[in-house]
Amino acid sequence: MLTEKICFCWNINYRCNYRCPYCFFYNRWDRVVKDNGNFPAEDWIKSWRRIYDIYGSAKIETAGGEPFTFPSFVRCINEICKLHSLRITTNLSCSTEILKTIIGQNSPERLKWNITFHPSFANVDDFLKKALLLKRNKFEVLTMYVGYPPQLKMMPHFRSIFQENGITFFAQAFQGEHNRIAYPQGYTEEERQLMGDLKKDDCHGGLKRLIENQLLKKQTKGKLCLAGSKYAFVDSTGEVYKCSRERKNSMGNFLEHDFRLYDRPLPCEFEYCPCEFTWLVEEEAIREKQDMKDQDKIEADLPLTELSGKAAVCQTQDKYPAPGRVYWCWDIHNACNYKCPYCWLNTPHEDAPKDVHPYPGIDKLVKIWADIYKKYGRCHIHISGGEPSIYPSFFELIGKLSQLHYVEFDTNLSFDPVDLVRNTEEGRRLKIGATLHPEFTDLNTFFSKVLQLKGGGFRIGMTCVGYPPHLKDIRRYKDICDKNNVEFNIQAFRGAFNGKEYPTAYDDAEKELIGIQAEDVTSRILDYHISERDKKKEKVRRLCRMGQMGAKIYPNGDVFRCCMPEDDHRIGNIFNDDDFRLFDGPRYCEKSPCPCWRAMIIGKEDDWQHYWYRMETDSRYCDRNLQTKQD
């Protein structure tokens, strides 16, 4: 589908604290301000929420005027970024304290910055300090500088300052008249070279098109354009137009409950497109086709991963290259209909990413995992949370995902098994980990659902948390599972109970009951907690394949190598990064011992490869079942 996300350009207001001579509104600010909308922040926030309900998460470019002169703009940012991606164009005249507030409440994956440097009004040192504050906090920062003829000579100096500090610099073409010469057509060849030096400015994609469209007159009249259907310009009054050039025929008012975009592209009515981004259907198709070619080339050039021992299971799936079968641990969301006292959500890790709970929509999620299949073949997706079954359209989602991948999900089994059966084929690549929570359900009700799903052809096992008050019943649970040929697992409790910290507080008898053996997974977790408590073990750098063959996805789409969400473990965002990819090889980690049971230390393959063999066995078991049923 062309142009996956809906895009909006939002001129939030027409006030500004600068009076640049190259501004569109120069010499007419008084009249412009009179026409400015004066709607409260809450009206806009409500409307952006409605857009999310209709179209899903959108890309929003916010400009003006100066956006920070809009009352309660910080609140707008914080609320809108919970649902949409926002890019702010600002002169960065707001205070450092305001920037710190925004940084503390927003993710760099949702918020990006176009900062415009105006040398007549801003001090470069003060401006640079704010830019570096954003950059140090992982926000994408692009410095924009208008190629106004009187300040062109200063541009190389400022460009070098920003680029030396690792900040992308972009020269924006001046549109207007100076000394009776119309620009951008009036640039000399030397000035065109300076403005369009893409190598110096590191520009690509949309920025390259911006320069091309401003410097070259492209004939666009009559050509089908996505503006109005996939993109729209929102005025401060709420009026919506197809694009920034079309300001006569309103599409409706954004703040009204019945506002909708057009349902199809329409012909452009202008001789040439002066927009910053051209939305012609033919150009979007060309770019999409080129992106697919580039992707195919990347996949073709990727080398196969070499693993020691029985590495075949980690090699190519179908025609796709290594890292082969990838284990994704996906915390789909953190919402739950139970409130268990031993749940980690009661005491979340202090460094855990913010829980944004976005819902990209069923179509977007299916596309994401289809793209993962194209890159890495059939993967193992382990879905947890929170309670996955209360996630929007969850059963439809796993029904679709299990057509491509092997899907496993943990659940409290509070749903009606019929909902799962209706959405998935019997025996599909699916495994269920059902956890009993005695505070919220009785054993008979819970286990009858286990047997119902097992009898329906689903692979299902039962788990119980080794919470101290539950230990007395564990043998009974295990006996029931053994009699019915249901896999039974005990999960070590991690947390405080009666003034003791678990799992380190388990005595020898409890360890034996839970099944903690010298070299097993739970023992490694226990060892980690003991070393954390004693702080005696030295950090050792060891190569690990996590991030290459395994990854952790948080509810907001952020992907980390493993369950330790540290900066150097972050890979990207699976929801927002169009070019998302895992690491292409193992990387060093200093966690010793590792708290993650999926640790894939190079040279320690015997500790983890059997999980990958089990994934292969489980998937082939399901594939054989599917083939048998089809035959």
Side-chain angles (χ1 to χ4, degrees):
M1 183 178 74
L2 297 177
T3 312
E4 182 180 328
K5 277 195 174 185
I6 301 294
C7 301
F8 291 92
C9 179
W10 178 28
N11 273 16
I12 189 170
N13 73 353
Y14 291 111
R15 299 182 183 89
C16 188
N17 51 340
Y18 290 179
R19 290 294 182 266
C20 302
Y22 40 81
C23 181
F24 291 115
F25 308 127
Y26 185 63
N27 282 335
R28 56 191 184 99
W29 274 110
D30 291 342
R31 179 163 59 85
V32 169
V33 171
K34 286 181 181 179
D35 295 334
N36 192 42
N38 291 290
F39 299 100
E42 289 303 324
D43 287 1
W44 289 108
I45 292 169
K46 181 180 178 181
S47 294
W48 285 115
R49 287 173 180 159
R50 188 178 64 252
I51 289 296
Y52 178 82
D53 292 339
I54 300 171
Y55 301 109
S57 185
K59 293 181 179 180
I60 306 169
E61 300 268 350
T62 304
E66 168 52 41
F68 280 96
T69 63
F70 180 80
S72 302
F73 183 54
V74 173
R75 171 163 168 71
C76 284
I77 295 172
N78 296 340
E79 291 301 316
I80 292 171
C81 284
K82 292 177 181 178
L83 304 173
H84 304 286
S85 298
L86 186 63
R87 182 180 289 275
I88 301 172
T89 299
T90 172
N91 60 32
L92 213 59
S93 57
C94 63
S95 68
T96 301
E97 288 68 28
I98 287 177
L99 286 182
K100 289 180 178 178
T101 298
I102 296 170
I103 288 169
Q105 298 187 47
N106 292 278
S107 164
E109 297 303 322
R110 289 294 182 102
L111 181 60
K112 304 182 189 303
W113 299 79
N114 287 351
I115 54 175
T116 54
F117 178 60
H118 304 286
S120 298
F121 293 88
N123 177 276
V124 68
D125 293 332
D126 294 339
F127 188 92
L128 182 61
K129 287 178 183 178
K130 294 177 183 177
L132 290 174
L133 174 64
L134 294 171
K135 180 177 172 59
R136 283 195 299 270
N137 283 278
K138 312 300 182 183
F139 287 89
E140 180 181 308
V141 181
L142 167 69
T143 298
M144 303 180 75
Y145 185 95
V146 179
Y148 184 52
Q151 61 186 38
L152 269 175
K153 290 183 179 180
M154 297 181 284
M155 188 166 68
H157 169 67
F158 291 127
R159 173 190 276 130
S160 64
I161 289 176
F162 288 102
Q163 291 188 341
E164 285 171 6
N165 283 277
I167 297 174
T168 302
F169 184 93
F170 171 57
Q172 185 175 14
F174 167 57
Q175 298 183 64
E177 187 174 297
H178 177 71
N179 286 346
R180 298 183 179 180
I181 300 175
Y183 290 84
Q185 304 93 313
Y187 282 123
T188 64
E189 186 57 36
E190 182 181 354
E191 289 171 335
R192 281 174 178 258
Q193 291 289 331
L194 186 61
M195 290 295 303
D197 195 334
L198 305 186
K199 291 182 180 180
K200 283 188 178 179
D201 285 352
D202 300 321
C203 296
H204 60 279
L207 296 180
K208 181 178 180 181
R209 296 199 301 276
L210 188 152
I211 291 174
E212 291 173 346
N213 294 337
Q214 289 182 341
L215 296 183
L216 304 174
K217 288 187 175 182
K218 289 189 174 182
Q219 295 293 320
T220 56
K221 189 170 184 177
K223 295 183 178 180
L224 284 179
C225 183
L226 292 165
S229 60
K230 296 294 183 182
Y231 166 85
F233 175 84
V234 184
D235 193 78
S236 69
T237 61
E239 293 301 309
V240 183
Y241 303 93
K242 287 173 58 179
C243 64
S244 57
R245 177 73 184 275
E246 164 54 271
R247 302 297 293 276
K248 293 181 180 179
N249 302 310
S250 172
M251 296 173 58
N253 195 288
F254 187 80
L255 301 171
E256 298 293 333
H257 73 278
D258 58 350
F259 169 75
R260 295 290 189 278
L261 295 169
Y262 296 147
D263 58 5
R264 65 187 186 283
L266 296 173
C268 178
E269 60 186 83
F270 299 100
E271 287 297 329
Y272 69 95
C273 177
C275 296
E276 292 185 349
F277 299 99
T278 301
W279 290 91
L280 296 179
V281 170
E282 62 183 35
E283 294 197 3
E284 287 294 302
I286 291 171
R287 284 192 287 271
E288 184 181 66
K289 187 175 181 180
Q290 184 59 49
D291 289 344
M292 292 177 66
K293 285 184 178 179
D294 292 344
Q295 182 64 40
D296 290 343
K297 185 178 187 305
I298 290 172
E299 292 177 357
D301 292 344
L302 277 173
L304 291 175
T305 301
E306 295 180 1
L307 293 175
S308 61
K310 301 175 182 178
V313 300
C314 300
Q315 295 287 346
T316 303
Q317 292 289 324
D318 300 324
K319 65 177 182 178
Y320 302 105
R325 192 178 297 284
V326 179
Y327 192 111
W328 302 89
C329 185
W330 181 16
D331 282 359
I332 196 167
H333 67 174
N334 287 344
C336 189
N337 49 348
Y338 291 177
K339 302 299 177 188
C340 303
Y342 41 83
C343 180
W344 71 271
L345 289 174
N346 289 328
T347 55
H349 193 285
E350 61 182 5
D351 294 327
K354 293 176 182 177
D355 183 17
V356 180
H357 285 302
Y359 176 59
I362 186 71
D363 292 339
K364 173 71 176 291
L365 289 170
V366 171
K367 183 181 185 303
I368 287 170
W369 287 108
D371 289 343
I372 290 297
Y373 179 81
K374 291 176 183 178
K375 293 173 184 175
Y376 304 117
R378 183 165 296 127
C379 300
H380 187 116
I381 308 171
H382 187 161
I383 300 175
S384 187
E387 169 52 37
S389 67
I390 64 174
Y391 189 74
S393 304
F394 178 70
F395 298 112
E396 180 185 359
L397 174 64
I398 61 172
K400 293 180 180 297
L401 294 192
S402 61
Q403 294 177 28
L404 294 176
H405 302 284
Y406 182 72
V407 181
E408 178 180 1
F409 72 95
D410 298 330
T411 174
N412 58 30
L413 221 57
S414 56
F415 60 87
D416 185 343
V418 173
D419 292 334
L420 178 61
V421 174
R422 284 173 179 166
N423 285 276
T424 56
E425 294 183 23
E426 184 181 339
R428 181 58 81 180
R429 302 178 187 93
L430 184 63
K431 184 177 181 180
I432 305 165
T435 304
L436 174 65
H437 302 286
E439 295 91 339
F440 294 91
T441 185
D442 64 274
L443 178 62
N444 289 337
T445 300
F446 178 88
F447 204 74
S448 66
K449 292 183 179 180
V450 171
L451 294 179
Q452 183 180 350
L453 289 168
K454 182 175 184 292
F458 292 93
R459 303 196 71 197
I460 185 167
M462 175 177 166
T463 299
C464 181
V465 178
Y467 188 49
H470 297 170
L471 293 177
K472 65 183 185 302
D473 295 315
I474 283 181
R475 293 194 188 280
R476 181 164 63 96
Y477 299 153
K478 185 177 186 305
D479 288 343
I480 292 172
C481 287
D482 288 344
K483 288 178 182 177
N484 290 276
N485 196 27
V486 173
E487 179 183 342
F488 180 72
N489 294 290
I490 306 170
Q491 183 179 357
F493 167 57
R494 285 182 269 181
F497 179 77
N498 281 352
K500 298 179 181 179
E501 285 294 327
Y502 289 82
T504 56
Y506 284 127
D507 59 31
D508 290 341
E510 290 170 335
K511 288 181 185 178
E512 183 179 356
L513 178 65
I514 294 173
I516 298 176
Q517 303 298 324
E519 297 299 329
D520 71 7
V521 169
T522 311
S523 180
R524 279 193 278 143
I525 294 173
L526 190 65
D527 188 26
Y528 169 75
H529 281 272
I530 292 172
S531 68
E532 283 290 292
R533 180 190 64 192
D534 297 341
K535 299 293 184 183
K536 291 180 180 177
K537 291 204 172 183
E538 245 180 73
K539 287 186 175 180
V540 179
R541 295 183 78 229
R542 300 178 299 175
L543 276 174
C544 180
R545 293 200 184 276
M546 291 300 292
Q548 177 200 10
M549 292 175 59
K552 172 81 170 184
I553 308 174
Y554 284 92
N556 64 357
D558 282 341
V559 183
F560 289 80
R561 295 177 65 180
C562 64
C563 57
M564 301 302 290
E566 301 178 353
D567 287 345
D568 61 342
H569 284 194
R570 189 176 182 281
I571 302 173
N573 189 287
I574 201 168
F575 292 166
N576 301 329
D577 297 348
D578 294 335
D579 58 347
F580 176 85
R581 279 189 172 273
L582 293 166
F583 297 149
D584 56 6
R587 297 198 178 188
Y588 282 102
C589 179
E590 294 185 349
K591 290 292 179 183
S592 180
C594 178
C596 182
W597 67 263
R598 298 177 189 87
M600 303 175 67
I601 306 300
I602 300 297
K604 298 284 186 179
E605 283 78 9
D606 288 345
D607 291 342
W608 56 265
Q609 275 192 340
H610 57 286
Y611 290 110
W612 265 249
Y613 304 154
R614 187 175 71 185
M615 286 196 316
E616 183 74 6
T617 301
D618 286 346
S619 187
R620 285 179 177 172
Y621 170 87
C622 291
D623 288 342
R624 284 198 302 271
N625 276 4
L626 283 171
Q627 186 61 49
T628 299
K629 293 180 185 300
Q630 289 167 0
D631 294 342

